[in-house]
Amino acid sequence: MSLLPRRTPLTSALLSRFRHPAQLIVGGFAAAITLGTVALMLPAATTSGDSAGLLRALLTATSAVCVTGLVTVNVDPHWSGFGEVVILALIQAGGLGIMTLATLLAVLVSGRLGLRARLLAQAETKTLHGTDVRRVIRNIVLFSLVSEAVLALVLGLRFALGYGEPPGRAAYLGIFHSISSFNNAGFALWSDGMMRFVADPWVSLPVAFAVILGGLGFPVVFELARAWRRPRTWSVLTRITVGMSVVLLAGGTLLFTAVEWDNPRTLGPLSDQVKIMAGFFTAVMPRSGGLNVIDISQMRPESWLATDILMFIGGGSAGTAGGIKVTTFGLLAFVMWAELRGEDRVNVGHRRVAGPVQRQALTIALLGVGLVAAGTFLLMFITPHSLDRVLFEVISAFATVGLTTGITPELPAAGQVLIIILMFVGRVGPLTIFSALALRERTRRYELPEERPIVG
């Protein structure tokens, strides 16, 4: 008797059509966006009872599935309760990963996984070993739901006890913003984001910590849970992710607090304690959180540039954050350090980093730079906005962050389409996109003579 799930004509057709796991990942995200767009185009999805239109629905659905947060209209009051539930479902699906949910469904139905399903789950979750993908997926789902439930409880109690919201409304606000925060989605039900909670540590700090937790990446979180007392045993992934995250969060907090300290339109009117807390929140959100407690459009250009850098780097691999990932950035830093020291091997801790991993990090970083440069050029060509604002918006879309200087609603249709493409490519990943386009992988069966050209 076969141990693999029984193939139906539909699954056989899909597997024969998509030979590479990356192709199914791209197709899965595209299908989710399509379904979300259709749902948001329904008259029931808006408070006015009129259809939102194709472009607005497509941009909102893409932003939700790609857990970004860039929109052309405020969630409330434009979208109805049904529309908000659709957006929330798309955020949850995008955060967990379409292929992760599909694989979990296969486990529940068949009770076992085939090889191709294991490869799909491994490609989406970026697990380091494919030997027990079912257990990994189960842990991912449980960890996500428990984390969201705890945050929803904290926020719901605060909204009910601190702001007088009715129990049902408080629970809904807690659930919506817990899912949005943990999945680094950047959606809020208030037009000013979370600026009204800038001085409330019971709202802003739990939201910030949820963004950090979701953005670390599932493999790192699981390893920390097992061996947080034994840092010498941590893998290269965990070492780089934790180290770079701490450095970027601490540096970002100091930078934003110092630069915006006396800005009368951001931190200036706040007390010293609230300024530090708001600086920390602002440093957390560029990792892909997308929420704000100060007016991003009123920040100084120096803060915009720092935010651009943090957004482009992003969060941890296999998490809900975007960007090129702190692992990529940190690994390239180790590559540069080894080259400067004249070493022919790249070592992190007590481990040597394989050559293919170094090339992959370089490829992802350069693809990201190229996409951001091309997107910035095109958006400047079709809009009258300045370079700093356009660059900010493009990086925010590519890194699936959702922070904005306020120009997204003003973009023409072509500009909104460009933002949609950047969000999709940024969420699925440049390397996955181009891998999905490859018909097959080729192995070179010969080596050419070596030559060393002049570099620099």
Side-chain angles (χ1 to χ4, degrees), residues 74 76-77 158-159 162-163 165 169 173 177 188-204 270 274 277 281 291-295:
N74 294 323
D76 189 11
R158 182 57 179 169
F159 292 143
Y163 297 91
E165 294 285 356
R169 176 65 176 173
L173 290 174
H177 293 94
L189 293 179
W190 299 283
S191 59
D192 61 351
M194 305 197 75
M195 291 176 59
R196 64 190 65 192
F197 305 113
V198 63
D200 189 346
W202 291 100
V203 175
S204 61
L270 307 176
V274 175
M277 186 169 63
F281 189 96
L291 298 169
N292 64 292
V293 291
I294 60 176
D295 191 346

Side-chain angles (χ1 to χ4, degrees), residues 216 220 236-238 240-242 244 313-318 324-334 357 361:
L216 278 177
V220 173
V236 172
L237 173 65
T238 300
I240 294 180
T241 301
V242 173
M244 290 303 305
I313 296 172
S317 299
I324 65 171
K325 303 300 191 302
V326 293
T327 314
T328 303
F329 181 76
L331 182 58
L332 290 177
F334 277 102
V357 178

Side-chain angles (χ1 to χ4, degrees), residues 96 100 125-128 132-147 182 213 216-230 234-235 237-238 242 317-318:
L96 286 174
T100 304
T125 61
K126 297 181 177 65
T127 50
L128 300 181
D132 194 4
V133 180
R134 283 188 293 180
R135 178 176 58 83
V136 172
I137 294 176
R138 182 178 67 248
N139 290 341
I140 288 174
V141 174
L142 289 176
F143 170 71
S144 300
L145 295 181
V146 169
S147 299
F182 180 80
L213 189 62
L216 278 177
F218 301 116
V220 173
V221 171
F222 292 159
E223 184 170 355
L224 289 177
R226 293 192 308 267
W228 65 275
R229 292 182 177 180
R230 304 186 302 276
W234 291 354
S235 65
L237 173 65
T238 300
V242 173
S317 299

Side-chain angles (χ1 to χ4, degrees), residues 50-356:
D50 300 324
S51 175
L54 175 60
L55 184 57
R56 178 170 293 170
L58 176 61
L59 190 146
T60 305
T62 304
S63 186
V65 173
C66 298
V67 289
T68 304
L70 289 175
V71 291
T72 55
V73 292
N74 294 323
V75 176
D76 189 11
H78 180 80
W79 301 106
S80 65
F82 169 75
E84 291 178 4
V85 171
V86 170
I87 292 173
L88 204 60
L90 294 175
I91 292 172
Q92 186 72 84
L96 286 174
I98 302 302
M99 291 299 103
T100 304
L101 295 177
T103 306
L104 177 63
L105 181 61
V107 174
L108 296 176
V109 172
S110 67
R112 52 182 62 88
L113 278 175
L115 177 60
R116 183 171 294 274
R118 288 178 183 272
L119 292 175
L120 292 175
Q122 186 175 355
E124 170 58 22
T125 61
K126 297 181 177 65
T127 50
L128 300 181
H129 303 284
T131 56
D132 194 4
V133 180
R134 283 188 293 180
R135 178 176 58 83
V136 172
I137 294 176
R138 182 178 67 248
N139 290 341
I140 288 174
V141 174
L142 289 176
F143 170 71
S144 300
L145 295 181
V146 169
S147 299
E148 292 169 355
V150 171
L151 179 61
L153 179 62
V154 173
L155 294 180
L157 289 174
R158 182 57 179 169
F159 292 143
L161 301 178
Y163 297 91
E165 294 285 356
R169 176 65 176 173
Y172 176 71
L173 290 174
I175 293 172
F176 188 98
H177 293 94
S178 69
I179 293 177
S180 178
S181 300
F182 180 80
N183 290 288
N184 285 216
F187 281 83
L189 293 179
W190 299 283
S191 59
D192 61 351
M194 305 197 75
M195 291 176 59
R196 64 190 65 192
F197 305 113
V198 63
D200 189 346
W202 291 100
V203 175
S204 61
L205 291 183
V207 166
F209 287 130
V211 169
I212 294 173
L213 189 62
L216 278 177
F218 301 116
V220 173
V221 171
F222 292 159
E223 184 170 355
L224 289 177
R226 293 192 308 267
W228 65 275
R229 292 182 177 180
R230 304 186 302 276
R232 290 180 61 86
T233 65
W234 291 354
S235 65
V236 172
L237 173 65
T238 300
R239 285 174 181 267
I240 294 180
T241 301
V242 173
M244 290 303 305
S245 296
V246 171
V247 170
L248 293 176
L249 287 175
T253 300
L254 291 174
L255 190 148
F256 288 123
T257 305
V259 173
E260 299 294 329
W261 186 269
D262 58 351
N263 186 345
R265 295 169 293 183
T266 55
L267 298 184
L270 307 176
S271 66
D272 291 352
Q273 182 179 358
V274 175
K275 286 180 181 179
I276 296 174
M277 186 169 63
F280 171 73
F281 189 96
T282 305
V284 170
M285 291 304 136
R287 67 184 295 116
S288 197
L291 298 169
N292 64 292
V293 291
I294 60 176
D295 191 346
I296 301 298
S297 66
Q298 300 301 317
M299 289 170 60
R300 288 173 171 154
E302 300 92 330
S303 296
W304 282 351
L305 179 59
T307 306
D308 289 341
I309 296 172
L310 293 175
M311 288 192 300
F312 185 77
I313 296 172
S317 299
T320 53
I324 65 171
K325 303 300 191 302
V326 293
T327 314
T328 303
F329 181 76
L331 182 58
L332 290 177
F334 277 102
V335 171
M336 291 175 58
W337 179 245
E339 186 64 28
L340 290 174
R341 297 180 63 182
E343 298 177 353
D344 60 350
R345 296 289 187 272
V346 177
N347 300 320
V348 179
H350 302 287
R351 295 289 186 272
R352 177 171 56 87
V353 180

